[in-house]
Amino acid sequence: MDSWKVKKKFFTFSIIPGFAWIMVFFFLPLAFVWIMSFGEKSNIIDVVITGTLDNYTRAFDRVYFKVLAHSFLISLITTFICLIISLPIAFLISFSSRRIKTFLLILIILPFWTNLLIRTYSLIAILRTEGHVNKILEFLWIKINNVLLFLGIYDGQLTPNEFIPLNLLYNNFSVIFGLVYIYIPFMIIPIYVVLDKFDKSYIEASLDLGAGQIKTLFKIIIPLIYPGIISGVLLVLIPCLGSFVTPDLLGGSNSQMIGNVIERQFKSANDWPFGAALSFLLIYITIGLILIHSLFSKKIVEEKIL
Amino acid sequence: MTKKQSIIRRGPLEYSKIKWLKYFSVVFFIVLYAPIINLIIFSFNDSRLNIVWRGFTIKYYVKALQNETLILSFINSLSIAFISTMISTLIGLSAAICLWKFNFRLKTYYDLSLLVPIIIPEICMGVAMLIFFNSVHWPVFTIWPLNLSEIIIAHISFSFPFVVIIIRARLGNLNKSLIEASKDLGATEWITFRYVIFPFIKPALIASSLLTFILSLDDFIITFFTSGPNNITLPVKIYSMVRFGVSPEINAASTILIMIVIISTVLIIKFLNYEKDLK
């Protein structure tokens, strides 16, 4: 690696495009949002920057605070479910033979690159009242009834008299289902990456020394793949908090998330300063989560050195 | 075979042979793929309501191809993806080479700043782009491709950092003695780049440009905030159709998009397997 002073011309030529682009077309727009979050609407189109903090205090009003808390809750539940599902899947992949491993990884990555909107939309057909899940349930329901009738245990019908399709769409269930469905590759891949690298003889040693499978899992495997789990949690939690397509298409009026409120400020309610403040709140939360993460990973490194 | 024997046959680390783990993952992959496969199958369904299978037809593809705004949005999507891929690959390449070749103060910060567009929630970036283009009174163009300039710029901002990451990872594997040899033999910086560095990073370059192509083609949220009524893309068009409920036309349009992405993904995987070329 050279010092930049050796080849000043080459250095300037190579650094400028990327640096200028990210400054002008990324950080400058963010600065605009930040400034606007201290503004007030003067009339329908104009915004005056007055340095007010009203937009931020408004975000903690009862109505919006509820949405904020709700978004956190939904995101945390989603992250937890993703983690529970991802551990065994990542485990299976990393212990598979080489060919199956590649195949399974492709299977994980492929939907990850399919459009988020299309994947969310595809769930509607599955979950709606006339959807496939309800069809399967109805089919099972009829079969069970027939068996009961045949056995004469019950006079033909489970209560109630007709199969009532479950409401699987436009509620919190469908939002969490959709978020898990969309973001689960983000959890599986980092866990898999760490799991694949670590020395499997630790597991063998633990089992040889008499620890059971479950004890090995909690005492050996999980502490060792911890960094992967933490990255996975961040990679799921952050986009979940900012999600707007999934609650918009799959959620009902009670399952609105902060992303929906932000979108409304720009697309219909036309209160840009408030929308900007909410966006920056989301950015602060993201930064906070990443700082916590870096503190944790520092601690882990220190513990390992000691 | 008794149960005990089957346990003995499995080695201590052969977790992939555990039965419940196998069943669990089979169910997982079925749930992961069923909705999309269902969507593709029902794009050929001869029924408006699209609840029950009523026979094979391609009339919704024909209908989608006759829908002018749909075609226009598809052309927009492809133009945006092509242009933003080209520009972000060039910017990403120069930034990757700069970070690989030089040491300078604030390098860590530059490095970190390239990760921010990847990390922050997409909606924040969309909002930022919307406010930015409005505040600077970005001119409204009518000629192609300048009418798409806002979306193209936004797409470059979130995709070129990916190019930097992929190309730098590849450059990290480059044997420095090759470059020294090239310079010893009297090659200029350009000749070294052209005949040593470029051939080495070519697969990463192709893979990263395909990735940015997919990212751009697939992006909905950021485009949703930067596009106006006259420059919508295919995902934005699909979104406006989805709001009116499920229809086979959406399935047909989605299937076309999915197919393009799958083909590109297969190509990426092919190009990213460079280790094989080395052997």
Side-chain angles (χ1 to χ4, degrees):
Chain A
M1 227 179 272
D2 308 328
S3 165
W4 67 276
K5 285 170 191 149
V6 184
K7 289 173 188 121
K8 272 187 185 157
K9 223 168 132 190
F10 185 13
F11 174 72
T12 331
F13 184 71
S14 67
I15 197 170
I16 278 183
F19 184 74
W21 192 281
I22 199 144
M23 282 300 151
V24 176
F25 291 123
F26 181 73
F27 285 105
L28 190 64
L30 276 187
F32 273 78
V33 180
W34 191 70
I35 292 168
M36 187 169 268
S37 71
F38 298 106
E40 263 173 79
K41 254 180 19 168
S42 58
N43 56 44
I44 299 172
I45 8 172
D46 289 316
V47 171
V48 187
I49 310 300
T50 50
T52 171
L53 286 173
D54 281 358
N55 296 313
Y56 288 97
T57 46
R58 212 179 128 201
F60 290 96
D61 275 358
R62 243 195 93 153
V63 189
Y64 297 112
F65 187 71
K66 245 181 166 172
V67 176
L68 210 63
H70 181 80
S71 311
F72 254 101
L73 191 67
I74 295 268
S75 308
L76 286 174
I77 295 172
T78 305
T79 312
F80 184 71
I81 297 174
C82 281
L83 182 62
I84 299 290
I85 300 175
S86 297
L87 277 172
I89 299 291
F91 223 79
L92 185 95
I93 298 175
S94 81
F95 282 99
S96 295
S97 65
R98 223 187 128 75
R99 267 181 63 204
I100 296 175
K101 201 186 263 184
T102 324
F103 176 67
L104 291 180
L105 279 176
I106 293 172
L107 278 187
I108 298 279
I109 292 170
L110 214 54
F112 179 61
W113 282 343
T114 312
N115 192 300
L116 157 105
L117 179 70
I118 293 176
R119 274 194 290 158
T120 312
Y121 164 75
S122 72
L123 289 178
I124 297 177
I126 302 284
L127 295 176
R128 62 183 167 174
T129 325
E130 317 84 31
H132 297 288
V133 173
N134 271 321
K135 283 245 191 66
I136 292 168
L137 288 177
E138 190 177 7
F139 175 78
L140 290 176
W141 189 83
I142 292 169
K143 283 281 169 230
I144 290 169
N145 268 347
N146 287 343
V147 171
L148 289 178
L149 192 68
F150 179 74
L151 294 174
I153 294 171
Y154 190 70
D155 53 340
Q157 303 265 299
L158 284 169
T159 46
N161 287 334
E162 246 175 52
F163 176 76
I164 295 173
L166 297 174
N167 273 327
L168 299 171
L169 207 53
Y170 309 124
N171 51 31
N172 289 332
F173 166 79
S174 54
V175 174
I176 293 175
F177 188 89
L179 289 173
V180 170
Y181 179 69
I182 285 161
Y183 293 116
I184 200 152
F186 288 94
M187 185 71 93
I188 296 177
I189 288 168
I191 294 179
Y192 161 76
V193 168
V194 180
L195 205 56
D196 205 42
K197 268 190 219 148
F198 97 54
D199 192 349
K200 263 91 185 180
S201 53
Y202 283 122
I203 302 175
E204 228 165 347
S206 162
L207 293 175
D208 268 356
L209 293 170
Q213 292 285 4
I214 291 172
K215 204 172 177 189
T216 308
L217 176 69
F218 283 101
K219 292 265 175 189
I220 308 292
I221 299 169
I222 289 187
L224 280 174
I225 60 168
Y226 197 63
I229 293 178
I230 294 290
S231 335
V233 165
L234 275 187
L235 285 176
V236 175
L237 192 60
I238 292 171
C240 272
L241 277 172
S243 64
F244 121 79
V245 176
T246 315
D248 189 56
L249 293 181
L250 301 180
S253 51
N254 293 327
S255 33
Q256 296 292 297
M257 289 172 72
I258 181 167
N260 303 92
V261 182
I262 295 176
E263 186 258 349
R264 219 176 304 136
Q265 304 313 315
F266 289 95
K267 292 279 176 178
S268 52
N270 208 13
D271 190 347
W272 288 27
F274 183 51
L278 285 175
S279 305
F280 246 85
L281 219 54
L282 209 54
I283 292 174
Y284 289 137
I285 293 169
T286 309
I287 294 171
L289 287 171
I290 289 165
L291 282 181
I292 294 171
H293 170 231
S294 60
L295 282 179
F296 263 102
S297 41
K298 227 184 201 170
K299 218 174 147 193
I300 291 168
V301 171
E302 276 163 8
E303 274 170 9
K304 278 198 179 148
I305 291 166
L306 294 171
Chain B
M1 190 165 53
T2 64
K3 203 184 172 192
K4 203 168 183 186
Q5 272 174 325
S6 76
I7 289 171
I8 291 165
R9 285 211 169 177
R10 180 168 67 76
L13 290 184
E14 287 174 318
Y15 287 100
S16 59
K17 285 187 183 160
I18 296 178
K19 279 245 167 72
W20 73 264
L21 211 55
K22 261 186 182 166
Y23 293 138
F24 181 76
S25 57
V26 167
V27 172
F28 170 77
F29 282 109
I30 288 173
V31 174
L32 196 64
Y33 276 88
I36 293 181
I37 291 170
N38 174 63
L39 177 136
I40 295 173
I41 291 172
F42 275 75
S43 70
F44 297 106
N45 185 16
D46 196 2
S47 154
R48 200 57 256 159
L49 288 170
N50 225 357
I51 294 167
V52 197
W53 180 256
R54 295 234 184 273
F56 182 86
T57 178
I58 54 161
K59 75 174 176 199
Y60 292 104
Y61 284 87
V62 177
K63 229 175 172 176
L65 289 175
Q66 284 165 348
N67 186 335
E68 256 177 56
T69 49
L70 199 67
I71 291 294
L72 197 67
S73 67
F74 187 53
I75 293 171
N76 278 346
S77 272
L78 287 178
S79 328
I80 292 164
F82 269 116
I83 298 169
S84 70
T85 299
M86 278 195 284
I87 300 176
S88 50
T89 308
L90 284 176
I91 296 176
L93 176 65
S94 84
I97 286 183
C98 174
L99 283 164
W100 168 73
K101 200 170 168 54
F102 294 109
N103 250 332
F104 50 97
R105 259 205 299 167
L106 306 178
K107 181 177 171 173
T108 344
Y109 293 98
Y110 182 41
D111 222 1
L112 277 177
S113 74
L114 288 177
L115 290 178
V116 183
I118 298 175
I119 294 164
I120 70 160
E122 272 185 283
I123 195 165
C124 299
M125 189 155 168
V127 164
M129 290 298 168
L130 174 64
I131 292 180
F132 172 74
F133 287 119
N134 252 284
S135 308
V136 298
H137 300 288
W138 193 262
V140 178
F141 299 99
T142 45
I143 41 162
W144 185 92
L146 284 174
N147 59 337
L148 305 168
S149 56
E150 286 136 298
I151 306 175
I152 292 172
I153 287 170
H155 283 199
I156 295 167
S157 292
F158 73 73
S159 53
F160 93 86
F162 284 99
V163 180
V164 179
I165 290 174
I166 295 176
I167 294 179
R168 263 185 92 187
R170 179 69 173 159
L171 279 170
N173 293 331
L174 176 57
N175 192 344
K176 293 253 171 168
S177 49
L178 285 176
I179 294 165
E180 278 157 25
S182 152
K183 283 190 182 154
D184 273 354
L185 294 169
T188 59
E189 208 70 70
W190 166 248
I191 299 285
T192 310
F193 176 76
R194 175 68 187 81
Y195 292 101
V196 181
I197 300 174
F198 183 73
F200 185 77
I201 59 172
K202 208 169 139 195
L205 207 61
I206 297 169
S208 62
S209 50
L210 280 168
L211 176 67
T212 42
F213 188 78
I214 293 179
L215 284 174
S216 167
L217 207 61
D218 259 355
D219 179 73
F220 165 67
I221 298 177
I222 294 166
T223 316
F224 180 63
F225 281 96
T226 40
S227 68
N230 299 320
N231 51 11
I232 56 167
T233 64
L234 187 57
V236 176
K237 174 70 188 163
I238 290 175
Y239 177 74
S240 65
M241 288 161 81
V242 168
R243 306 219 81 180
F244 295 106
V246 177
S247 86
E249 264 159 296
I250 307 175
N251 291 24
S254 305
T255 306
I256 295 172
L257 191 57
I258 291 173
M259 287 307 156
I260 294 175
V261 172
I262 288 179
I263 293 167
S264 313
T265 310
V266 171
L267 289 176
I268 292 182
I269 289 164
K270 232 183 135 190
F271 282 114
L272 273 179
N273 274 337
Y274 13 76
E275 267 95 291
K276 279 181 194 154
D277 318 340
L278 291 174
K279 286 165 195 167

